[in-house]
Amino acid sequence: MHITANFDAGNIEVINLEDKKNVQLAIRPDVGGEFFQWFNFRLTGQVGEQYVLNILNAGDAAFPAGWENYQAVASYDRDYWFRLPTSYKDGKLTITAELECETIQIAFFAPYSDERHQDLLAAVQMHPLVTLEHLGETLDNRDLTLVKISDGASNNDAPKRNIWITARQHPGETMAEWLVDGLLHSLLDGDNATGKLLLDKANFYIVPNMNPDGSVRGHLRTTQLGLT
């Protein structure tokens, strides 16, 4: 058995791997130690075997009430994500995985990787209504990018509104960038009547990831300096 979080947005600490029915893990806190809840790791084992993973410090997480009725997500191909049986009791989060392939990735929510973020920016910049603006570099020297979408003048007398949307101020909220992904593709789909109507009434200024440093580092809420 092998467990690693040594990849983009990875987060887990291994405490004990001696018993596959009681694998003991802990979530690594953000820089500063105040916040943690995001986890993202890969488990390699034997096909057909069941592994019981216990995150021992779950009760000290930023929002322990969020573990109630929660189910961790997992994927074999990093494309299709599904839920795993998960329970929370006495401050311990228990995830059960029966392997269908040798390696499974398990996470708090479906990750939105930096690689996927770069693919999104590259794809939307091909559209004639899109302009990418470089806002600056983070402390880890990553680009902070604004996506501007406008089809020009309004088709009516009312002036266009300017709508700003930002996502992932808290890097562990990956669902926010998944939402932005869907929004961008909907706005830029010429067959999407709602998207066309919105672009007739407004210009959009969208930052898909406000905290790329924290995202890559596997943080829940903070930047690389521990700032929220």
Side-chain angles (χ1 to χ4, degrees):
M1 184 196 330
H2 177 67
I3 290 178
T4 182
N6 188 24
F7 54 87
D8 173 14
N11 183 324
I12 206 69
E13 294 179 351
V14 176
I15 297 174
N16 194 310
L17 293 179
E18 293 180 1
D19 182 0
K20 66 184 179 182
K21 295 295 185 180
N22 183 23
V23 178
Q24 297 179 10
L25 307 170
I27 302 172
R28 171 175 44 81
D30 294 5
V31 171
E34 183 178 358
F35 302 106
F36 67 88
Q37 193 139 6
W38 170 264
F39 58 86
N40 183 18
F41 60 91
R42 286 196 288 263
L43 163 69
T44 299
Q46 295 183 345
V47 174
E49 291 292 329
Q50 185 181 82
Y51 296 83
V52 180
L53 313 170
N54 293 303
I55 298 180
L56 303 182
N57 64 342
D60 296 321
F63 184 56
W67 301 127
E68 299 295 336
N69 301 314
Y70 166 79
Q71 289 184 304
V73 300
S75 179
Y76 291 107
D77 61 5
R78 298 195 301 167
D79 184 29
Y80 170 71
W81 293 85
F82 55 92
R83 298 286 180 176
L84 290 175
T86 307
S87 62
Y88 176 69
K89 185 177 180 181
D90 297 330
K92 179 175 67 177
L93 190 73
T94 300
I95 305 167
T96 302
E98 187 169 323
L99 297 192
E100 298 178 9
C101 299
E102 286 84 1
T103 299
I104 189 171
Q105 186 165 333
I106 300 171
F108 183 43
F109 294 117
Y112 200 103
S113 68
D114 184 60
E115 180 181 7
R116 190 177 191 107
H117 171 78
Q118 301 304 328
D119 287 345
L120 176 65
L121 296 178
V124 299
Q125 76 165 346
M126 303 296 291
H127 198 283
L129 302 183
V130 170
T131 302
L132 299 186
E133 181 176 332
H134 178 67
L135 299 179
E137 291 185 353
T138 68
L139 293 174
D140 279 343
N141 298 313
R142 295 187 174 88
D143 292 336
L144 194 60
T145 304
L146 170 68
V147 180
K148 299 193 291 187
I149 308 175
S150 175
D151 68 351
S154 173
N155 292 331
N156 52 55
D157 294 333
K160 278 196 169 187
R161 295 180 179 273
N162 294 319
I163 297 177
W164 282 80
I165 298 172
T166 62
R168 296 187 78 179
Q169 293 92 330
H170 298 159
E173 295 169 356
T174 56
M175 71 292 286
E177 192 162 5
W178 284 108
L179 183 147
V180 165
D181 187 312
L183 172 64
L184 287 171
H185 284 98
S186 294
L187 289 173
L188 301 176
D189 180 356
D191 294 325
N192 188 308
T194 301
K196 292 172 67 175
L197 180 63
L198 288 169
L199 288 176
D200 183 50
K201 295 180 179 296
N203 304 308
F204 284 82
Y205 299 81
I206 302 173
V207 183
N209 191 339
M210 289 285 291
N211 190 348
D213 289 353
S215 300
V216 173
R217 287 168 173 259
H219 288 186
L220 172 72
R221 291 178 64 92
T222 72
T223 66
Q224 55 94 261
L225 289 180
L227 303 175
T228 57

